[in-house]
Every structure is written in C-alpha cells, then in structure tokens.
Amino acid sequence: MNCKKCDNGENKSLLSTQELVSSTQGMLVLGNGEVFFTSVQTDSRNVEKNALFVPLIGENQNGHKYIPQALEKGASAVLIGKSDFEKDPDFFVELWQKNQNVNFIAVENTLTALQKAAGCYVEKFPDLIKIAVTGSSGKTTTKEIAASILRQKFNVITNKGNLNSETGLPLSVFEIRSEHKAGIFEMGMNRENEIGEIAAVLKPRFALVTNIGTAHIGILGSRENIAREKAKVFNHFFGIGTGFIPKSDDFADFLADSVDGKVVFYGENCDPDVKFVRDLGLEGTELSVCGEKAVLGLPGKYNYINALGAVALGKALGLTGKEIAAGISSLKPMFGRSEVLKGKFTVIQDCYNANPDSMEKAIDFVSSVSCENGKILVLADMLELGKESKAEHEKTGLQAASSGCNIIIFVGNEMKYAYESAVKSGCKKKIFYVEGNSSSSIEKIVSLVKENGCENDIILVKGSRGMGLERFVKSVLEK
C-alpha cells in the first residue's frame, strides 16, 4: 500500500489504523479502531507505554501468552494470529474487557505482518538514503565504519547492535524519524530467503556486500547458496540502485551479475584515490583518502578491507576525502569486535561472533603482529556450522598449530576436534583443551593463561557470542 509521508510529530502514531490494517492485511477484531503507537516490540519485557506489541511464534513457545504482560506495561495495540484468536477468542475478549483502550488486529502470520508494517513505515520517508550491508562476516564493523563516515555529512540512523534479522531489521526501521537523512542497516540471515524478506522491508537504494564465506553453511549447504541468498539484497534496485562488491571475493562476478543497476568494486588497488600507508599493528591501519590521512583504529587487514567498502560508499554519496578521513579516524572500537584491551596482558577481544572465515583472518592477523613477548590463542566454538562443523573446527586446529602463537587453548565441545587435529599435527606448542563454557570452564582458562603465559603476552580471544568468552577477558584482566 501507499503510506503517507510522515511528518512524525511527537504526538503522531507511527502508522494510522488504516495503514496498519491494510499493510498487514489484518482485521480489527477488538477495540475502538483508533490505533496509536509510538514504538514496536516483540519482547514483552521491552514494552513501554503506547507500544505496538507483536507476539511471535517460535519452535518452543508462543508469544501470545505474553500479551497480558505487554498490556500491563502499556501496550496500546497488539497484532495477534488469526488462528490463535479463533482457537481461544475468550482469552482475547477477556483481555480487551480489562483494557478497552487497546486495539487487537488479527493477521495470518505475526512475523510477516511485522515485516509488512515495517515496510509501510519505511515508505513514509521517501527522501531517506537507504543503505544495506550484508555478508558472511564483517557486517557490523563495515556498517559502523560507514556510519562514522556518513555522519560527517548526514544525520544517520543504524540498527543497534546486530538487530539485523527477520525480526531485528523491522524493529530497527521503526526507529527512523524525519530528522534522519541516511539509514544504514545491517542484514543477516539464518535461513533461506531471510535476506529477501528483509530487503523487501527496506528496499535499499545502496547495498554493500562484505564477502561470501561459510557462516551458516550448515543451514544453506554451500557457498553458492549463500551467495545466491546474499544477492537478494539487490532485489529492489530496479535499475537505479548501486551495489558495492569486494573485488577479491571469488563470487564478485556472480554478485555483480545480480545487480540491476550500477556496480562499484572495492578493495586493494581498486581506487587510486585510496592508498594504504602502513600497518600500525594493534593500533590499526594508516591510509590516505584523496590525499587526506586517516587512521583506522581497528587492527587487521580484514578490517582495512571492510573500511575500503565504507570509503567507496562515502565517495558515491558525495563525501569529500577530508570528511571520509575524519569519519574513519573518529571511529570508536565496538564491544567484542577487534577490541584491544590492555592490562597485565594485551587482549584482542574478538568474541562477538565467529565463523571459519573470521576465525582464519583473526589467527592470521595475530600471527603477523610483531611482539617481543609470547602470543596466546583462546579459541572457542564456532556455532551454527551444521554438518560442516567437525571439518571446519579441524581446519582451525591445523591453522592454530601452524600459527605464530606459542600457547593455544581450545574451548567448547566443537573445539575438541580442533584440539585433536592440532595435537595430531605434531606441533611443539603448548596446546590445551577445556570442555564446555561453564563458569568453571572459564576459570580453568584463566588458570592456564596465568600458569603458562607471561606479562605483556598478546592474547587473541575468538569464539561465537554464545560461548560467552568476555567472562574470561574480564577475569584475566582483573587478575
């Protein structure tokens, strides 16, 4: 549907009754029909006054049971599943009788309805520069570098943290307001066509792909399938979009062929205006943009490549070399992403996410860093690899064994395969294995580092977010 352009005054509902009902193909089943909401939530714990609550149905639980809590916290409207309403209408009628100012709108599927409503809301900002960032790794880092650059010229909105999924992206776009001139939204996927669905919400005019790797290969089966899914970010270009593609990726040509619009390749030696100056080790990378010096405060060549994508985007949007350099240099490290923390040890905390590609790059980087002291790897499970998990962890074990690090600690159930392959390789490093990721497991890692490491050693801490390695970092720096 066509949604009216938004003036978005403080007392204006994000969507009108007609817009919400029409976009979701829903039906007002209870309420006075005067829908008013100023935020959207799928988690009842986050609901505030005048929120639209959207209960989702997962494999293990049905969010409809949390509607009473959402109403207690001030929800003013609720999207409900038609089948849930038909199964137990008395439940909803009783809730409405106690909250007669609340409107209940029945829809076929609450997740789809959330996405459709979000898409309608985005249409209210036709002048917003809409940018999507996707890829197997480096999405959040690239998004943050790009945002830091574009803030030199525009009022920018991004998704918070990694709210980039089938639910996270729709919730994020509901944060757009009239003062925003550019929106940079990260898009992730955990299943087939997730990128297609959320690209349909944003309909980006610019889209940047970081790489095609093996993250979620256990779900999609092959890198070819991953590339096909990531290319759906270009679905809504219709001849006027611009795709930014990493020239060195072996799927670069495939991605370029998927762009109905302009293609900009980025990477080393792709743009004569952008020059690598020197590697600053743990302090990052120095580069120049149109003759302007910039220092990217994130270490590692892989972060430099991510920055080149953001630079290409900035140039396409008309920023000067001075503005781009200022944006790069003003970037602050993000929690758990190539974050360098110093205490008795120098810790590279890179444990917000992990997949075979990012793991390989991180180990390569630490191996390359010049250091008078020792280097320690603390590597935890890479999750969501499916049937590929054993083989990929074994590869990590072999890479760690041949790295320039003298102490290696493998952590978690899947990293047992890495440990076994490292031991079988016959390397002479100190190699340890810690099962699981319980509190006692974390304490054991701390003890191993204290007993075998030396002051000022560099420690790479890398693993999937679910492994909770930040607990080790906190403990080892304190002790």
Side-chain angles (χ1 to χ4, degrees), residues 8 17 23 30 53 90 93 122 139 151-152 164 194 220 245 268 277 292 332-333 335 381 406 478:
N8 217 36
T17 304
S23 64
L30 294 166
F53 179 59
D90 292 343
V93 170
V122 171
K139 295 184 293 295
R151 284 193 182 105
Q152 307 304 308
N164 62 9
E194 189 167 0
L220 293 170
I245 294 169
E268 292 186 289
V277 177
E292 298 287 343
K332 304 298 182 186
F335 168 75
D381 287 355
N406 52 306
E478 285 176 351

Side-chain angles (χ1 to χ4, degrees), residues 235-291:
N235 278 359
H236 300 273
F237 276 10
F238 304 120
I240 59 171
T242 302
F244 298 85
I245 294 169
K247 182 68 175 175
S248 62
D249 196 284
D250 49 359
F251 282 91
D253 291 338
F254 172 84
L255 291 170
D257 289 342
S258 304
V259 177
D260 181 11
K262 183 179 179 181
V263 173
V264 174
F265 289 107
Y266 70 87
E268 292 186 289
N269 304 316
C270 283
D271 184 347
D273 291 335
V274 184
K275 293 182 171 63
F276 170 86
V277 177
R278 58 184 174 132
D279 185 348
L280 302 175
L282 294 181
E283 304 304 317
T285 303
E286 183 181 333
L287 64 152
S288 71
V289 182
C290 301

Side-chain angles (χ1 to χ4, degrees), residues 434-448:
V434 177
E435 186 177 7
N437 66 332
S438 64
S439 296
S440 60
S441 299
I442 297 298
E443 282 303 311
K444 187 172 181 181
I445 307 168
V446 173
S447 296
L448 286 170

